[in-house]
Amino acid sequence: MPVESGSSAAARQAKQKRKSHSLSIRRTNSTEQDRSGLQRDMLEGQDTKLPLSLRNNLLDLFSQIEREFENLYIENLELRKEIETLNDRLTAEGQTFEGADLAKGALKTKASHSTSQLSQKLKTTYKASTSKIVSSFKATTSRAVCQLVREYVGHRDGIWDLSVTRTQPVVLGTASADHTAMLWSIETGKCLLKYLGHQGSVNSIKFHPTEQMALTASGDQTAHIWRYMVQLPTPQPVADMSQTPCEDDVDFSDKDEADGEVEGPNDCPSVRVATTTLRSHQGVVIAADWLVGGKQVVTASWDRAANLYDVETSELVHSLTGHDQELTHCCTHPTQRLVVTSSRDTTFRLWDFRDPSIHSVNVFQGHTDTVTSAVFTVGDNVVSGSDDRTVKVWDLKNMRSPIATIRTDSAVNRISVSVSQRIIALPHDNRQVRLFDMSGVRLARLPRSNRQGHRRMVCCSTWCEDNTSCNLFSCGFDRQAIGWNINIPALLQEK
């Protein structure tokens, strides 16, 4: 009797399996016809409003689905048998390799131990990865504290811009679409002065670096320089407001509250005449800022140009042209004669006036929509925000590509950067204000609910580096400015 080799035996077993599988499929197909006929007979005896043709189509579809599941079930059984065979073979090889007669229970114990170790490792890895994701959203909640300190109410229309004085006394300035600019006591929320010299919306306000002078830009195609003198009132005790973790407050309602007519402060003194009026633009002047030293100012307009003026003579020194669409913002460097302008043409430009004989310009195309603002920071960085829902941090020494990119869920308006803490405040169209560090890591979100925070688009933010009760201010089209106290530990900023 010839001895059958191992390979031929395996081939014969595989052939028998395929044969039995085909027989089972034939058996299944033969029984399906009887089953489908029986189902049709049962359904014909039932009351239904479905047409007969539709019922037959449904029965055919269900029969095909059942057939597929049955075939999968059969294949699954066969695969289980093959797995058991392989396991037995591996067990036998393991016994030979170990050179000892290991008991089956010992093998099971070893296998279960390895399995438990693998399972524990997977669980640990999963928990670690998910904890990192969760901590990126919730870790700041327990440590970053954002407290709403005071609301500044008095404008009759939306507030476009706000700024804090660089000299004593430290006051808050707001620029509004109601054609006025107001100065406020930071500690009491009282209006100290109202400027009434513009004939159009006041779009921006900036304070002189050393003197009590303000620069405002307006929709009446002019920029005004005006002097102010204010006396701070006696600070009142601050109401005991519970500190709120920055991201712990829930936005309870997306509906805007009814805007009642806000009565402006009647007893607030006013200034009606500008010290200097800057004229030469052919469109809305959307922003203006002081150059270092305060002897020159730059203005940005919807006429696609930025103008450089001499403050003493009010003469036009340079007209900075090159943008293809309306300008949206301008900003000056705190210590150098540098100007950055942003535009609806998706670019921002860096103008260099450090060399009186050469005025260079660099164009940066890092956004895909309107660049709403670009601001300098301490050192050699520029931060730009856009309607494309991104904020980019640039290095002046190498501005080919941003060193950090922040992606958000809403258009970004006029941003500001804290000099001391190096934190970027992002005001959004969706009524939120978010805080990021210079590397693009999210630190906090200011609380907003139907009880506190902005109820409309947030237009601008600005930081106050002086020792006041508020170190961040925001304003929006809900006609109010809000003073916040932001406390973010240094350890959290380093992360």
Side-chain angles (χ1 to χ4, degrees):
M1 176 83 57
V3 180
E4 189 176 26
S5 63
S7 59
S8 60
R12 185 169 58 83
Q13 290 178 1
K15 187 175 181 181
Q16 289 177 353
K17 287 183 180 179
R18 287 196 298 270
K19 188 174 181 180
S20 62
H21 180 60
S22 61
L23 289 174
S24 63
I25 293 176
R26 290 175 189 172
R27 201 179 305 117
T28 302
N29 292 335
S30 62
T31 57
E32 282 173 0
Q33 297 177 357
D34 300 335
R35 192 181 306 161
S36 61
L38 181 61
Q39 289 175 346
R40 283 193 176 89
D41 294 339
M42 291 175 63
L43 286 177
E44 287 177 358
Q46 296 178 357
D47 294 333
T48 179
K49 295 182 179 180
L50 292 176
L52 182 60
S53 59
L54 181 59
R55 290 166 59 193
N56 291 333
N57 290 335
L58 288 174
L59 284 173
D60 292 337
L61 290 174
F62 288 139
S63 299
Q64 293 176 18
I65 293 172
E66 185 181 3
R67 189 186 313 126
E68 291 295 329
F69 274 106
E70 192 169 0
N71 292 338
L72 288 174
Y73 179 73
I74 294 172
E75 291 180 3
N76 188 23
L77 292 177
E78 293 181 354
L79 287 174
R80 287 184 180 180
K81 291 180 180 179
E82 292 181 4
I83 290 172
E84 290 177 359
T85 304
L86 289 174
N87 285 335
D88 294 338
R89 188 179 302 173
L90 289 174
T91 301
E93 290 177 358
Q95 290 175 352
T96 306
F97 178 77
E98 292 292 333
D101 189 12
L102 296 175
K104 192 173 184 180
L107 286 173
K108 286 185 177 180
T109 303
K110 186 176 180 181
S112 63
H113 180 66
S114 301
T115 306
S116 63
Q117 283 184 336
L118 179 61
S119 176
Q120 185 65 30
K121 187 175 181 181
L122 288 173
K123 287 180 181 179
T124 305
T125 306
Y126 174 75
K127 287 181 179 179
S129 60
T130 53
S131 63
K132 287 181 181 179
I133 298 173
V134 173
S135 64
S136 65
F137 291 98
K138 293 188 176 180
T140 58
T141 305
S142 59
R143 297 153 75 176
V145 178
C146 307
Q147 181 184 7
L148 189 153
V149 179
R150 192 163 286 106
E151 296 177 343
Y152 304 86
V153 180
H155 281 291
R156 296 177 178 271
D157 208 336
I159 304 176
W160 289 118
D161 195 23
L162 77 172
S163 181
V164 178
T165 57
R166 309 184 207 181
T167 58
Q168 297 293 333
V170 180
V171 297
L172 173 68
T174 55
S176 172
D178 64 5
H179 300 191
T180 70
M182 289 185 181
L183 305 185
W184 306 82
S185 167
I186 293 177
E187 303 300 334
T188 65
K190 179 182 178 182
C191 177
L192 305 175
L193 186 70
K194 182 188 295 186
Y195 180 69
L196 305 173
H198 283 292
Q199 303 301 314
S201 169
V202 185
N203 300 319
S204 79
I205 182 169
K206 288 291 185 292
F207 292 101
H208 192 277
T210 59
E211 300 182 32
Q212 293 188 10
M213 291 194 299
L215 170 66
T216 51
S218 173
D220 59 12
Q221 303 184 7
T222 67
H224 290 182
I225 298 174
W226 44 277
R227 292 187 175 272
Y228 63 89
M229 291 184 64
V230 294
Q231 185 175 0
L232 295 180
T234 304
Q236 300 295 325
V238 180
D240 185 15
M241 300 178 66
S242 59
Q243 292 185 338
T244 306
C246 292
E247 300 186 22
D248 209 29
D249 216 352
V250 181
D251 188 356
F252 291 100
S253 175
D254 287 335
K255 296 181 180 179
D256 294 328
E257 296 181 8
D259 290 325
E261 286 295 326
V262 178
E263 292 295 333
N266 297 323
D267 58 344
C268 183
S270 62
V271 175
R272 297 180 179 271
V273 180
T275 305
T276 303
T277 300
L278 306 176
R279 309 176 189 271
S280 64
H281 282 293
Q282 304 301 315
V284 169
V285 183
I286 195 66
D289 201 359
W290 303 86
L291 267 73
V292 58
K295 295 182 178 180
Q296 291 180 328
V297 298
V298 62
T299 57
S301 172
W302 284 3
D303 62 8
R304 306 183 183 183
N307 290 342
L308 190 66
Y309 295 92
D310 183 88
V311 173
E312 185 177 354
T313 63
S314 69
E315 292 182 356
L316 177 63
V317 180
H318 294 289
S319 183
L320 313 178
T321 59
H323 282 290
D324 295 331
Q325 294 189 39
E326 295 91 337
L327 272 65
T328 57
H329 192 251
C330 65
C331 180
T332 59
H333 195 280
T335 59
Q336 303 181 59
R337 290 177 57 80
L338 298 173
V339 176
V340 62
T341 57
S342 52
S343 170
R344 291 185 60 189
D345 62 9
T346 73
T347 71
F348 66 94
R349 295 177 176 236
L350 177 65
W351 310 84
D352 191 346
F353 297 101
R354 290 175 292 187
D355 188 345
S357 60
I358 302 175
H359 301 149
S360 62
V361 58
N362 294 314
V363 183
F364 302 99
Q365 301 175 341
H367 292 282
T368 59
D369 205 339
T370 298
V371 181
T372 53
S373 64
V375 299
F376 291 101
T377 67
V378 174
D380 296 322
N381 295 119
V382 172
V383 183
S384 60
S386 171
D387 280 343
D388 64 7
R389 303 182 179 184
T390 67
V391 173
K392 297 179 184 289
V393 182
W394 309 79
D395 188 349
L396 284 175
K397 298 177 182 178
N398 181 16
M399 296 190 68
R400 295 180 180 178
S401 60
I403 59 177
T405 299
I406 302 169
R407 304 187 186 279
T408 69
D409 60 352
S410 179
V412 181
N413 296 312
R414 292 183 178 178
I415 60 180
S416 63
V417 182
S418 170
V419 175
S420 60
Q421 302 184 74
R422 295 178 62 82
I423 300 175
I424 311 169
L426 311 184
H428 291 285
D429 277 359
N430 64 358
R431 302 171 288 178
Q432 304 287 354
V433 180
R434 293 185 174 93
L435 307 180
F436 289 80
D437 66 11
M438 294 293 291
S439 60
V441 176
R442 177 175 168 177
L443 300 176
R445 174 178 62 84
L446 300 192
R448 203 205 77 80
S449 68
N450 56 3
R451 299 184 302 272
Q452 63 175 344
H454 288 287
R455 299 185 298 273
R456 296 285 182 89
M457 172 182 71
V458 188
C459 301
C460 180
S461 64
T462 188
W463 292 89
C464 178
E465 306 296 339
D466 293 275
N467 188 18
T468 60
S469 60
C470 308
N471 57 1
L472 176 64
F473 299 90
S474 59
C475 66
F477 235 61
D478 53 1
R479 309 178 187 180
Q480 68 173 343
I482 298 178
W484 306 86
N485 183 270
I486 310 299
N487 182 14
I488 298 181
L491 179 62
L492 186 57
Q493 296 179 41
E494 291 174 1
K495 288 186 178 182

